[in-house]
Amino acid sequence: MATVTRAPTTVRTVDLQAASVRDLNSSLHAAARGTAWHVAHPGGAHNLAVGLDADLDVLIDGHAGYYCAGMNQHATVTVNGNAGVGVAENMMSGTVRVRGNASQSAGATAHGGLLVIEGDASARCGISMKGVDIVVGGSVGHMSAFMGQAGRLVVCGDAGDALGDSLYEVRIYIKGTVKSLGADCVEKPLRDEHLAELSELLKAAGVDEDPAAFRRYGSARELYHFKIDNSGAY
């Protein structure tokens, strides 16, 4: 059988010491599918690699500011550093990986795809998530998965106060300790199907953890309907 060889992929570099964020995003929006990009000297700039809608491979080689990789579709975006508020906000598909820590509201309102944070995530990680999978190698801050509607949140460290407050149907897996649970969030049994699901998520994220070491949390479904006895609290 003949051996088929592929030409090495050319990596296009955009240096943000010489180009603007607008230049970068315009180039990425016009890029051909399957191309690879290297963003040099990001310097914590905001709105890097936002609104991508093609199968691109983008490496941001340094720290990113607010809303990095927001609204991502199809692309793989890697931040070789820390990320500011709202990384992968409203992501639809693709993969976003932060090799450092992430600030508040990581993955907010995201509908799909995979967000991996190798370090810690701050408050409200996964707020109002709508189908995204989020895997955090470290710990998360208070009110993570607040009003989470769909998707999975995996935390290999600890969780702060009010985990899963006002939760809908997000499934939460925590390896460490939970400081407190939010309204309507309860611990649930970790059955075989959950172990299989968690194993797949950890593998997809490249995280080497034992699924059996985690605990599962979800909605008690007590807030779904109006109750007259609780009318004074509304």
Side-chain angles (χ1 to χ4, degrees):
M1 181 181 292
T3 301
V4 177
T5 59
R6 292 185 178 181
T9 301
T10 300
V11 178
R12 297 154 175 83
T13 296
V14 178
D15 189 338
L16 290 183
Q17 287 186 334
S20 69
V21 172
R22 178 170 297 202
D23 294 334
L24 167 66
N25 288 333
S26 294
S27 296
L28 293 175
H29 293 164
R33 295 177 59 185
T35 54
W37 294 77
H38 173 240
V39 182
H41 303 112
H46 305 318
N47 306 314
L48 298 175
V50 297
L52 304 187
D53 189 18
D55 180 16
L56 307 177
D57 190 343
V58 181
L59 171 63
I60 298 171
D61 200 3
H63 303 311
Y66 296 173
Y67 301 113
C68 177
M71 302 177 287
N72 185 60
Q73 293 191 79
H74 308 301
T76 298
V77 180
T78 302
V79 179
N80 194 21
N82 302 323
V85 172
V87 62
E89 182 264 346
N90 207 38
M91 178 166 70
M92 297 295 177
S93 62
T95 301
V96 176
R97 178 179 294 271
V98 179
R99 296 204 179 276
N101 301 319
S103 187
Q104 298 184 47
S105 303
T109 74
H111 289 248
L114 173 65
L115 170 60
V116 181
I117 300 165
E118 296 186 2
D120 298 324
S122 187
R124 301 177 184 86
C125 178
I127 181 173
S128 194
M129 53 194 286
K130 295 177 172 65
V132 67
D133 291 326
I134 302 175
V135 179
V136 180
S139 299
V140 296
H142 64 269
M143 297 193 78
S144 289
F146 172 56
M147 293 188 69
Q149 295 161 44
R152 287 83 61 92
L153 171 63
V154 179
V155 180
C156 300
D158 303 325
D161 278 318
L163 175 70
D165 189 82
S166 303
L167 195 67
Y168 288 82
E169 291 303 318
V170 167
R171 295 190 290 279
I172 303 175
Y173 299 97
I174 307 288
K175 182 182 179 184
T177 61
V178 176
K179 192 167 184 181
S180 69
L181 295 176
D184 214 39
C185 184
V186 296
E187 185 171 355
K188 294 190 170 186
L190 188 68
R191 297 189 290 267
D192 288 344
E193 63 265 32
H194 304 121
L195 289 170
E197 174 181 74
L198 180 54
S199 179
E200 290 179 3
L201 286 168
L202 292 169
K203 182 179 180 180
V207 175
D208 185 15
E209 293 281 2
D210 179 9
F214 288 74
R215 289 177 293 167
R216 183 173 75 100
Y217 300 87
S219 174
R221 302 187 177 94
E222 292 294 321
L223 298 180
Y224 276 26
H225 306 289
F226 175 81
K227 295 182 179 180
I228 190 63
D229 292 341
N230 297 332
S231 60
Y234 292 100

